Structure formats: C-alpha cells, structure tokens
C-alpha cells in the first residue's frame, strides 16, 4: 500500500502504525515508531483541549519533517526531506489514502 509514496520527491520513508503503535507496514528507511507515539499524544492533548478532529500533524525534527495522518484508528507516518515539500507530500498522502478507502 505505501510503496507509491516512495515515488514522491523528498520522501525518506513511510509507515502505517496500529492504534497500539505496532508497525503494520513500512517502506523506505527504517522509521522510528516512537515519533508517531509522541505525536499522537500531543494530538490527543490538543483535541482534548480544543475539540475537533485531527486532519494531520507536522513535526519538524532535526532529521527532517514527519507528517502524521490519521487513517481510521491507524496512523500513517511520512518522513520527508524539507518542509517546502509539505504540499506535495500532503497531496500524495491524501491520494493514497483515498485510493485505499
């Protein structure tokens, strides 16, 4: 399912994580699922305080940005090389998830 994301310029790796944080699928470099766990904790706190629903969460780390996108009770984690590529990455992620629905 995730392989098409590697065709998007700048993507380093992608992983689909279960609600419990287990890696269900991955492509590219080996991702750190701890990033997604921490990101989901932040997102849950924000949703608890502000309400609403999370569309996605961008975490800009020293090694490059990571986009966390909810997919049902799972999370798609996409790491890429530069924040300037965010629009391209978001488009590719949404297209991929829509094709899986």
């Amino acid at each position: 399912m995730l392989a098409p994301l590697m065709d998007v310029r700048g993507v380093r790796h992608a992983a689909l994580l279960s609600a419990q944080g287990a890696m269900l699928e991955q492509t590219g470099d080996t991702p750190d699922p701890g990033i997604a766990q921490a990101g989901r904790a932040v997102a849950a706190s924000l949703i608890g305080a502000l309400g609403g629903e999370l569309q996605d969460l961008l975490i800009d780390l020293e090694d490059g940005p990571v986009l966390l996108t909810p997919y049902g009770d799972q999370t798609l984690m996409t790491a890429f090389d530069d924040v300037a590529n965010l629009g391209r990455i978001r488009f590719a992620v949404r297209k991929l998830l829509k094709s899986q629905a």
Side-chain angles (χ1 to χ4, degrees), residues 16-24 33-34 36-38 40 73-75:
L16 185 63
L17 304 164
S18 72
Q20 295 75 32
M23 200 172 317
L24 303 173
Q37 292 292 354
R40 284 197 296 211
D73 65 344
Q74 301 168 344
T75 301

Side-chain angles (χ1 to χ4, degrees), residues 12-33:
R12 294 190 333 259
H13 62 260
L16 185 63
L17 304 164
S18 72
Q20 295 75 32
M23 200 172 317
L24 303 173
E25 185 179 346
Q26 71 138 70
T27 187
D29 300 338
T30 304
D32 178 1

Side-chain angles (χ1 to χ4, degrees), residues 2 5 11 13-17 23 25-27 29-37 59 61 65-70 74-80 93:
L2 302 179
L5 288 176
V11 172
H13 62 260
L16 185 63
L17 304 164
M23 200 172 317
E25 185 179 346
Q26 71 138 70
T27 187
D29 300 338
T30 304
D32 178 1
I35 294 171
Q37 292 292 354
I59 304 172
L61 302 169
V66 176
L67 183 66
L68 302 176
T69 308
Q74 301 168 344
T75 301
L76 175 59
M77 178 173 73
T78 309
F80 53 105
V93 164

Side-chain angles (χ1 to χ4, degrees), residues 51-89:
E53 196 172 303
L54 179 70
Q55 298 298 310
D56 54 30
L57 176 67
L58 177 68
I59 304 172
D60 194 5
L61 302 169
E62 184 177 345
D63 293 339
V66 176
L67 183 66
L68 302 176
T69 308
Y71 181 58
D73 65 344
Q74 301 168 344
T75 301
L76 175 59
M77 178 173 73
T78 309
F80 53 105
D81 60 356
D82 194 305
V83 173
N85 294 328
L86 179 59
R88 180 180 323 119
I89 304 301

